[in-house]
Amino acid sequence: MQVVLDNFHLMLAGLFVTIQLSLQVILLGTLVGIVGGVLLLYGPGLVRGLVRVYVDIIRGLPLLVTIFIIFYGIPAIGIPMPKFTAAVLALTFFAGAHMTEIVRGAIGSIPRGQTEAGMSIGLTFLQRLRYVIFPQAIRRMVPPWVNLSVELIKGSSLVSLVSITDLMLSTQEILERTAKPIPFYITAGVIYFILCYGFATFGNRLERRFAYYD
Amino acid sequence: MQDTATERRAAQPRPEQGGKMIVIQDLHKWFGQYEVLRGIDLEVTPGEVLVIIGPSGSGKTTLLRCINFLEEYQQGRIYIDGKLMGYREQGGRLVKLPDREVSKMRADVAMVFQLFNLFPHMTALENVALGPMKVRGLSKQAAYARAREVLERVGLADKVEAYPSKLSGGQQQRVGIARALAMEPKIILFDEVTSALDPELVGEVLAVMKQLAQSHGVTMLVVTHEMLFAREVADRIVFMDGGKIVEQGTPEAVFTSPHSERLRAFLKRFFER
């Protein structure tokens, strides 16, 4: 136990990286997903095709493979990029693809009658999205969005394999030095659990806030 | 964007339409290979209450939905108060108008739906006030005031803060009518608005519609199976079958002395129930 406390500050530094990474990716991934979802539903044929290809490819790859491809691929084609940015990019690619499907599913599940009612009172396309469709869709998006976000927090641990000092890697560095894996892995697990469970609780509150009487 | 002289001329009420609210010329519509409207010609004068009857599959709902461009049409013309609906003429061909323009026209052609289609995330008041606020540009206060007024008119003054899920079918449909009325449209389309209601709730909705019809303001097009209502309230009845208008006339003419065999068969089936 003492050895854990002695090295805890290093784990905290790694935790800080994990949190930063996760928050950025959740935010960016959500934005990409909203744009992607709307384009997939309402965009011109070519755009829809491109988004579809993007989503299908990324969803067919393990997150680790996506991380490796971006991480080693970007410098290979000559673009200099700091490690952390590459990690954010890779995870956002992943998050965006999944979020696009979440948005598409949520909006697509709104009955056509709602769109028609909006049309019948003269609302434009954007007004319909804003006042009729999106408020209803967002409520349906929250549970899968929370799920995805928790998966991203956990999946962020894979960046330890491209030597980004997140919680996972800092934990591994410590236990390699101290040769005591169990207490450290348990501590890391507890920290991840607190992160994920905390986020899920926040998600529940969010779900309640968006609920309307149904 | 500047309109050309041609477009401006096309936008004026055409002389041959003689001040009609709706003019439909040789309307044809296909769903894929299936022709659902096979040459509809119809004129509706302002303030007229037109009731459309006919067997299911006759195209009456599709006709209604073409009038507010919820469905596109491939051939023919629909003029709403002199303006071509949904398209612009370009060298004799129909070119679809952008969403912005169609939305503007739709504001004047309100619709009441069979399945109500109220916005479930808004109260009755908010449902009714949304159009006036965002499309007619009223201030929030003015829009809400108008919404209250209209909801009172349909007998729901005490339900303004209720969400649709807390309302009965008849009440929801009356909110739907209020939502249409609040837009102060030129035309209201009623698409089988009582067909999904329990029988004991139909009366309250028909009562509201009867009141509307008798106030002689807005042009009403009603697709319905309620024959007694049609007989009592319509200025003119149109009988459709197989995508065409088979017969039309005053309620007396159509119900007591139908000319066509198909109309006679249809009415017989109805009144034999």
Side-chain angles (χ1 to χ4, degrees), chain A residues 9-213:
Chain A
H9 60 288
L10 293 168
M11 292 183 81
L12 278 185
L15 172 60
F16 184 64
V17 171
T18 292
I19 291 179
Q20 259 196 310
L21 185 59
S22 303
L23 279 180
Q24 284 186 36
V25 171
I26 289 173
L27 200 71
L28 291 171
T30 304
L31 285 172
V32 170
I34 291 176
V35 171
V38 172
L39 285 178
L40 201 52
L41 283 167
Y42 300 114
L46 181 63
V47 173
R48 286 207 315 268
L50 288 172
V51 177
R52 187 81 259 157
V53 165
Y54 156 62
V55 170
D56 286 348
I57 289 182
I58 299 293
R59 291 210 312 165
L61 296 175
L63 175 53
L64 188 55
V65 172
T66 306
I67 291 176
F68 281 154
I69 290 178
I70 303 268
F71 211 79
Y72 296 117
I74 300 276
I77 56 175
I79 304 175
M81 192 181 279
K83 280 198 308 192
F84 189 79
T85 309
V88 171
L89 189 64
L91 287 170
T92 302
F93 250 75
F94 178 82
H98 284 83
M99 191 62 195
T100 296
E101 271 304 305
I102 291 173
V103 171
R104 189 194 63 86
I107 294 183
S109 71
I110 308 291
R112 176 149 180 87
Q114 289 294 303
T115 305
E116 294 187 346
M119 286 173 163
S120 75
I121 55 176
L123 295 175
T124 64
F125 172 70
L126 286 175
Q127 286 178 319
R128 294 194 299 267
L129 272 188
R130 182 169 165 201
Y131 298 114
V132 177
I133 302 297
F134 218 70
Q136 297 184 56
I138 215 172
R139 185 211 189 205
R140 298 171 198 214
M141 284 188 230
V142 174
W145 177 81
V146 171
N147 271 351
L148 176 63
S149 301
V150 168
E151 288 309 308
L152 287 170
I153 295 172
K154 293 188 287 184
S156 72
S157 61
L158 291 172
V159 302
S160 60
L161 296 172
V162 289
S163 53
I164 291 181
T165 321
D166 71 329
L167 175 59
M168 198 64 220
L169 186 56
S170 59
T171 306
Q172 280 172 323
E173 285 174 350
I174 296 169
L175 65 91
E176 269 160 28
R177 213 180 352 99
T178 63
K180 286 189 191 309
I182 309 249
F184 286 103
Y185 277 136
I186 291 183
T187 309
V190 168
I191 297 176
Y192 273 116
F193 178 82
I194 293 173
L195 278 181
C196 294
Y197 192 76
F199 195 90
T201 308
F202 158 71
N204 282 339
R205 241 184 278 147
L206 210 62
E207 216 185 315
R208 254 173 282 141
R209 185 206 170 293
F210 282 119
Y212 49 82
Y213 302 98

Side-chain angles (χ1 to χ4, degrees), chain A residues 112-128 130-133 135-136 212-214, chain B residues 65 68 70 99 103 106-107 109-111 113 117-122 130-131 134-135 163 165-166 179 183:
Chain A
R112 176 149 180 87
Q114 289 294 303
T115 305
E116 294 187 346
M119 286 173 163
S120 75
I121 55 176
L123 295 175
T124 64
F125 172 70
L126 286 175
Q127 286 178 319
R128 294 194 299 267
R130 182 169 165 201
Y131 298 114
V132 177
I133 302 297
Q136 297 184 56
Y212 49 82
Y213 302 98
D214 206 21
Chain B
R65 288 163 61 89
N68 69 347
L70 285 188
D99 172 74
S103 301
R106 283 203 186 114
V109 190
M111 188 173 218
F113 298 87
N117 290 337
L118 295 185
F119 307 130
H121 57 297
M122 296 182 176
L130 182 65
K134 302 297 176 186
V135 180
Y163 283 89
S165 60
K166 300 284 189 278
R179 183 172 63 180
M183 292 298 293

Side-chain angles (χ1 to χ4, degrees), chain B residues 148-167:
Chain B
R148 269 179 216 280
E149 206 187 297
V150 169
L151 280 166
E152 200 180 313
R153 210 171 139 192
V154 301
L156 290 171
D158 57 334
K159 296 284 184 192
V160 294
E161 297 296 343
Y163 283 89
S165 60
K166 300 284 189 278
L167 299 173

Side-chain angles (χ1 to χ4, degrees), chain B residues 189-202:
Chain B
L189 307 170
F190 294 83
D191 184 10
E192 301 209 33
V193 302
T194 55
S195 296
L197 292 175
D198 291 335
E200 65 267 21
L201 301 173
V202 169

